[in-house]
Amino acid sequence: MRESIEYYLSKGFDKSMAEYFANGRKTITSVEPQSDYILLLTFDNGEKRLYDMKPVIRKGSVFEKISDIKDFNRVYIDDTHCVAWDIDPGIDSSIVWNNKIDLCPDCCYVDSVPLSN
């Protein structure tokens, strides 16, 4: 049973995240890099959304490691349905955990915008 928006607000969630959880979590089923550091995300409900990574890919951030578009384009969905990048593609991130940068599906949904058809 899902909780209400008011329940999540009372737990300290902001409005957009409270609405997301009250309406049911989504699973990312595919990710496709687009031009200009945009991700096209497809969710298990069939919805397609665009996630703009430009604001977080900056010097000094963890995402600086994917600032080269070739590295950004190596994006994939990991075994927990997170959007992920291996820092060094020659290292298995399931063995060396700190080789991976990832984004959780919940934040990807809330921070993205619906793809207009």
Side-chain angles (χ1 to χ4, degrees):
M1 182 174 114
R2 293 186 193 138
E3 300 290 347
S4 68
I5 293 171
E6 292 74 23
Y7 169 82
Y8 290 107
L9 290 171
S10 75
K11 297 297 182 188
F13 288 69
D14 67 23
K15 184 178 181 207
S16 59
M17 199 59 86
E19 289 171 348
Y20 167 78
F21 278 102
N23 289 315
R25 297 176 77 183
K26 315 293 185 288
T27 300
I28 300 171
T29 58
S30 73
V31 61
E32 298 172 40
Q34 307 294 296
S35 63
D36 205 22
Y37 299 95
I38 304 283
L39 298 173
L40 173 59
L41 305 170
T42 304
F43 290 86
D44 59 347
N45 63 353
E47 189 174 358
K48 293 184 181 290
R49 299 178 68 91
L50 296 173
Y51 187 94
D52 185 357
M53 292 286 298
K54 286 186 299 296
V56 298
I57 299 177
R58 61 184 181 277
K59 190 165 179 68
S61 77
V62 68
F63 297 104
E64 179 181 12
K65 300 203 184 290
I66 58 169
S67 61
D68 184 303
I69 197 70
K70 290 179 291 188
D71 294 327
F72 176 79
N73 287 339
R74 290 189 288 105
V75 66
Y76 65 96
I77 303 299
D78 72 8
D79 59 348
T80 62
H81 299 279
C82 292
V83 172
W85 295 265
D86 293 327
I87 297 168
D88 180 343
I91 296 175
D92 184 347
S93 291
S94 65
I95 296 171
V96 182
W97 66 268
N98 62 348
N99 185 55
K100 183 168 67 172
I101 302 167
D102 62 7
L103 298 166
C104 80
D106 303 326
C107 291
C108 284
Y109 189 89
V110 170
D111 294 336
S112 62
V113 296
L115 179 66
S116 52
N117 296 332

